[in-house]
Amino acid sequence: MSAADAGKSGGSAGMRAVTPPTPPTAKAEADTTTATTNEELRRTSSYIQYVEFARSRRRFTWAPGSGKAVEDWLYREFTGDAPSPSTSVLRFVQSLGEKGRRTHSTGERAGGDDKVTNLSCSALPNLSVKLTFTLDSWDNNIYNQPLSDPLVILSRVIVDSHKLLGKLGVPEIQFYNFLQQIQTRYMHSNTYHNSFHASDVLYTLNIMVSQPVLHDWLTPLEMFVMLVAAIVHDVGHDGFNNDYHNNTKSPIALEHEFTSPQENNHLKITLMIMAMPSCNFLDYLPEGSIGRFKEILVGLVLGTDMKNHFGLLGDVQCLIGDHGPDFRTWPRTDDTFMKLARFLLHCADISNPSKPTDLSKKWTHNIMEEFFRQGDAERARGMPISPMCDRDACSVPLAQIGFINYIVLPTFKLLAQLLPGLEQPALGNIIRNLEYW
């Protein structure tokens, strides 16, 4: 994406230090015969990556006056505690329950006499408007299609390609209404966090889940929630990162208790739309699936807070260390699925440097302009300007080099172990983009 794929939670005002992930205890280091818990392994892995970054940055030649800002941004953007749902989000999650579940075949609520309005598919979009690319190339450009806003059509085409609505009993009209509502709540005034970014993340994640080894491993419900999470993961984003909202005590920071305000707000908007009778496809899911859908969705969207980066990588590294890179040999638990799914969505979210250079440059321009607009707002408020947000001082090439070297490249090397079929297109583009910058 750009020096910033991290536009969600980036640098905070001021120059306060960021506390690194907790290192392993001395006892854990000394007692090699004691079985280490998965959580300890995750923390250890995160800490090792943090230390390696700290060491390697000393060998990096920064341009005078630019290095501190890039270093500060990388520390603040990609280290921090794992996010959690706010009280506001939890209320919405609890309000969407199994009771009143509808059946697609009868249009009646399961366990009740309250009938829903008969739905007509006449309002569905004309899918004869074709995308100008297929769904199987990593290098496709989401901008190269005939639609002014591709999110609804692309979402329909991708979900239909896996026949997920039929497998799960979800009516087309309910899901289409949901997509329309989501699309209208992406802010087109944003240069980066808009429906084109959501479309690109969806497209990229679909390439991953379409790899035969992963496609056959996922259940239809799991694949469906992953794709929905990509569609909604930045809905309502206003172009300012989490630290800006927290520092200005914005309404969403206050509502979500200063905890991942953007990600929690994306969830709140999504759940509010799902609660609309015309958009509530949850009611039609197989019995017992609604709770699982909500659990996965909340975990995935919260996982897009970039401060969770090292934790996500650490989880997957631990699983590879214990069971090898073939995830089909991993324990098939909800926890294992969640760790892999969060990692894959994160990969899609920071994938812009893994795309062809001309496209990657366009994403870079878009995200940096959004960063600079935040810097302009901070300057107007008399606040310290966040790292990478000062249009008069930021070095875009240095930001990209740091982002690729320390965040994107290690992430996609890990992805290549899981999905070897993506190694050449993704890593090849990353190396070429690194050389460009």
Side-chain angles (χ1 to χ4, degrees), residues 263-283:
E263 290 71 29
N264 271 299
N265 203 52
H266 306 329
L267 281 168
K268 177 189 172 183
I269 292 171
T270 300
L271 294 168
M272 287 177 66
I273 293 172
M274 285 182 179
M276 296 178 180
S278 62
C279 303
N280 188 358
F281 61 85
L282 285 182
D283 277 355

Side-chain angles (χ1 to χ4, degrees), residues 291-336:
R292 180 72 177 136
F293 181 100
K294 294 184 295 184
E295 177 187 12
I296 296 172
L297 182 68
V298 170
L300 289 178
V301 175
L302 287 179
T304 62
D305 186 333
M306 293 294 164
K307 290 186 183 297
N308 202 34
H309 170 78
F310 286 114
L312 298 178
L313 267 64
D315 285 339
V316 172
Q317 286 173 324
C318 291
L319 287 165
I320 291 176
D322 287 344
H323 308 289
D326 186 350
F327 51 82
R328 292 172 298 181
T329 67
W330 297 356
R332 193 56 168 91
T333 64
D334 292 347
D335 182 62
T336 298

Side-chain angles (χ1 to χ4, degrees), residues 3-19:
D5 253 328
K8 304 181 173 70
S9 56
S12 60
M15 302 297 288
R16 67 180 184 276
V18 172
T19 304

Side-chain angles (χ1 to χ4, degrees), residues 1-3 5 60 138-139 200 350-365 396-405 408-409 412 424-437:
M1 111 179 353
S2 72
D5 253 328
F60 192 84
W138 184 266
D139 290 347
D200 183 64
I350 64 169
S351 67
N352 292 158
S354 74
K355 303 299 175 68
T357 300
D358 286 347
L359 177 57
S360 183
K361 286 164 56 181
K362 182 177 181 66
W363 289 121
T364 298
H365 169 78
V396 175
L398 280 179
Q400 284 298 298
I401 291 169
F403 179 54
I404 293 173
N405 265 331
V408 178
L409 189 55
F412 276 81
Q424 284 305 315
L427 286 176
N429 286 334
I430 290 171
I431 297 303
R432 284 186 286 273
N433 287 326
L434 188 57
E435 291 171 350
Y436 171 81
W437 292 112

Side-chain angles (χ1 to χ4, degrees), residues 7-8 11 46 61 73 85 88 126 173 204 216 249 257 276 289 332-333 343 347-348 386 411 415 423 429:
K8 304 181 173 70
S46 301
T61 302
W73 172 72
S88 177
N126 180 8
I173 190 66
T204 303
D216 296 341
K249 297 181 174 60
E257 302 146 356
M276 296 178 180
S289 299
R332 193 56 168 91
T333 64
F343 173 75
C347 289
S386 299
T411 302
L415 176 66
E423 180 174 1
N429 286 334

Side-chain angles (χ1 to χ4, degrees), residues 407-422:
I407 303 300
V408 178
L409 189 55
T411 302
F412 276 81
K413 284 182 177 179
L414 193 58
L415 176 66
Q417 294 185 56
L418 303 173
L419 300 174
L422 300 181

Side-chain angles (χ1 to χ4, degrees), residues 6-13 77 237-245 247-248 262 367-381 383-391:
K8 304 181 173 70
S9 56
S12 60
E77 194 68 30
H237 199 297
D238 61 357
F240 297 94
N241 63 34
N242 282 337
D243 286 341
Y244 179 88
H245 280 283
N247 291 335
T248 59
Q262 284 284 18
I367 188 66
M368 294 311 299
E369 176 57 30
E370 198 168 286
F371 274 21
F372 294 154
R373 291 181 183 182
Q374 174 173 315
D376 295 343
E378 290 170 333
R379 182 182 287 110
R381 283 174 168 265
M383 299 167 57
I385 299 177
S386 299
M388 298 298 98
C389 293
D390 190 340
R391 67 174 68 246

